[in-house]
Amino acid sequence: MKRWLYLTLLSLFFLSSAIVLGTRYVLLPMVPQYRVELEALLSANIGREVRIGALQAEWHGIEPWVAVGNLQILNERGEPALTLPSIRASLSWTSLATLDLRLSHLLVEGADLDIRRDTQGRFFVAGLQLSTEGEGDSPALIWLLKQGDVQVTDARVVWTDLQRSPAALQVRDLQFRLNNVVNLHRAALKARVVGDSLPRNAARKPDLRRADLQANRLAVPEAGTEALETGTDIELQLRILTPLLGGRPADPTRWNGEVYASLGIFKLGDWLAFIERPAWLTEMSGGGRAWVEFDNNRIQRVTFDPRVAVLGLYNPENRHAITLRNLTGRLDWQLDKADGQTWAAENVTLSAGDGEVLGPMSVRLQLTDSVDPSSRTGHLEADRLNLTVLAAVLKDAPLPQQARSVLQAAQLRGTIDSLDARWDGEWQAPANIRVEAEFADLGARSVSVRPDLRIPGFSNLSGRVDAGPDGGRWSVKGR
């Protein structure tokens, strides 16, 4: 038994050595001789003529490398539609075990890509029309997710949408990196976006050399620790887990993970040739950062750090509009267990048209969901709420008519230093209300919330309340 095992291991050693030596000293030197054959093979597969300027092979470390120089894909007129000045790839030895092409590293430098949609709605990439019919996973995406490390540096992408405008949107200095380890995939992208109607800027060139793709969480700074650069620089990061066994790794509906996006300072008016403006958004100037967590085609959490100088909102139903300025802080929405939801605004500061500053303030609302309405609950927390300024800000806000009427009739004033309120049932008709609050100089007019509920008016109330359905403690002063 031992002799048989020894001979087997020895045979495997000599076989692998023969493969390595044969690849290094026999096959690699022959690679440049097959440039014409490789051009014909690629041309047949993609349906366009392909030209290769140079083809070389060499050995680095324990892996063979292949370098392709000045690869061009020609359009129907025989002109270069896609140019790849430099491609370097190292072959992974796992290709022998999987009987499939696997690369340890793939580096594409200086790519120049043109993407457009014509007036008939057809999409073209490098002059090649994309088919929008059929179902199934993308073979190209499946292949990319199987490679070790993929990098694209100093690329340029031009997007033209002839259904909207002849103006071209350019993505310059694009740096991209994709790292795959079994079913864990991390990607990072940095680029500068400019267009025929967008202002140019001199922001520094993006760099991915320090991009941390090995962390379990996306490597991005916390809010407030780093100032956003001016201009139209964009940054994207992605971390996903794909099905390990019995799944379709290229099916996005089976992914779970997190996306991070950062957008530099921009003006909405400069982008209207390229994007559709929502009906509720009239004006925007600024930028921000966002995190989105998802699981099996369902968004679980969205976090947004706005750095907005001007934000115009409009309600088409009642035609009310408001312009907010200098909006900063953190906005968060999360899907909790049993389909409950949490909305939060942390350290939010903003000002309205009259120049009054609201904040910094924090508000958190948690609602639990249930098939039985009586089993639903709510929890509201807030601090540093200036009701006088809040009412002034909301007087022109595009709110539903009922909420707008109640706010206008109540004429809220005063400040709430802290608030912790809990209730059972729907928030529109709460029951078993429990409140802890500290406040100063509160005042409001009597207002009817619904036909069977009218809240009495009060003025100049200060103190603390800790009360519930069974009573509580009050310490209130009024004038």
Side-chain angles (χ1 to χ4, degrees), residues 259-277:
V259 178
Y260 164 79
S262 172
L263 181 64
I265 304 302
F266 78 103
K267 292 183 178 179
L268 177 65
D270 295 332
W271 290 72
L272 293 181
F274 313 105
I275 63 175
E276 190 73 29
R277 179 181 62 83

Side-chain angles (χ1 to χ4, degrees), residues 147-282:
Q147 311 314 306
D149 190 78
V150 179
Q151 294 189 54
V152 178
T153 63
D154 301 327
R156 185 177 76 100
V157 178
V158 179
W159 160 250
T160 306
D161 187 357
L162 296 179
Q163 285 193 335
R164 294 188 55 85
S165 167
L169 185 69
Q170 298 187 34
V171 180
R172 298 179 178 177
D173 300 326
L174 187 148
Q175 319 291 321
F176 173 79
R177 184 179 178 186
L178 172 65
N179 181 264
N180 303 301
V181 180
V182 192
N183 69 324
L184 175 61
H185 312 276
R186 305 180 184 93
L189 180 147
K190 291 185 179 181
R192 183 177 304 125
V193 181
V194 298
D196 292 345
S197 62
L198 295 180
R200 271 61 169 173
N201 65 86
R204 69 172 184 267
K205 181 179 178 180
D207 186 5
L208 278 188
R209 288 178 297 178
R210 294 189 177 183
D212 182 9
L213 299 183
Q214 304 303 321
N216 291 329
R217 299 280 295 177
L218 295 183
V220 294
E222 292 297 325
T225 62
E226 180 180 301
L228 290 174
E229 295 181 6
T230 59
T232 53
D233 289 345
I234 62 172
E235 178 182 356
L236 298 173
Q237 292 193 33
L238 172 68
R239 178 183 58 85
I240 61 173
L241 285 171
T242 57
L244 184 60
L245 298 174
R248 297 161 56 193
D251 182 6
T253 63
R254 302 290 305 278
W255 293 354
N256 69 80
E258 182 182 10
V259 178
Y260 164 79
S262 172
L263 181 64
I265 304 302
F266 78 103
K267 292 183 178 179
L268 177 65
D270 295 332
W271 290 72
L272 293 181
F274 313 105
I275 63 175
E276 190 73 29
R277 179 181 62 83
W280 51 266
L281 184 63
T282 61

Side-chain angles (χ1 to χ4, degrees), residues 51-72:
R51 292 178 182 175
I52 297 176
L55 181 62
Q56 297 179 343
E58 53 191 9
W59 191 277
H60 285 295
I62 62 172
E63 295 176 332
W65 282 74
V66 176
V68 178
N70 197 28
L71 185 146
Q72 294 181 334

Side-chain angles (χ1 to χ4, degrees), residues 1 80 87 93 125 138 147 188 215 247 263 265 283 304 335 344 369 380:
M1 182 66 178
I87 303 176
W93 291 109
V125 177
S138 167
Q147 311 314 306
L263 181 64
I265 304 302
E283 182 183 7
F304 178 50
L335 187 64
D369 200 3
L380 174 64

Side-chain angles (χ1 to χ4, degrees), residues 253-330:
T253 63
R254 302 290 305 278
W255 293 354
N256 69 80
E258 182 182 10
V259 178
Y260 164 79
S262 172
L263 181 64
I265 304 302
F266 78 103
K267 292 183 178 179
L268 177 65
D270 295 332
W271 290 72
L272 293 181
F274 313 105
I275 63 175
E276 190 73 29
R277 179 181 62 83
W280 51 266
L281 184 63
T282 61
E283 182 183 7
M284 182 175 180
S285 175
R289 302 178 295 187
W291 294 259
V292 178
E293 298 179 11
F294 56 91
D295 185 7
N296 289 331
N297 204 34
R298 190 178 190 184
I299 295 178
Q300 300 290 324
R301 185 172 185 178
V302 178
T303 304
F304 178 50
D305 289 352
R307 300 292 186 270
V308 179
V310 180
L311 178 64
L313 303 176
Y314 175 73
N315 189 337
E317 296 181 359
N318 53 30
R319 299 184 179 180
H320 291 299
I322 187 173
T323 299
L324 304 178
R325 301 183 184 277
N326 303 320
L327 173 61
T328 62
R330 170 164 288 188

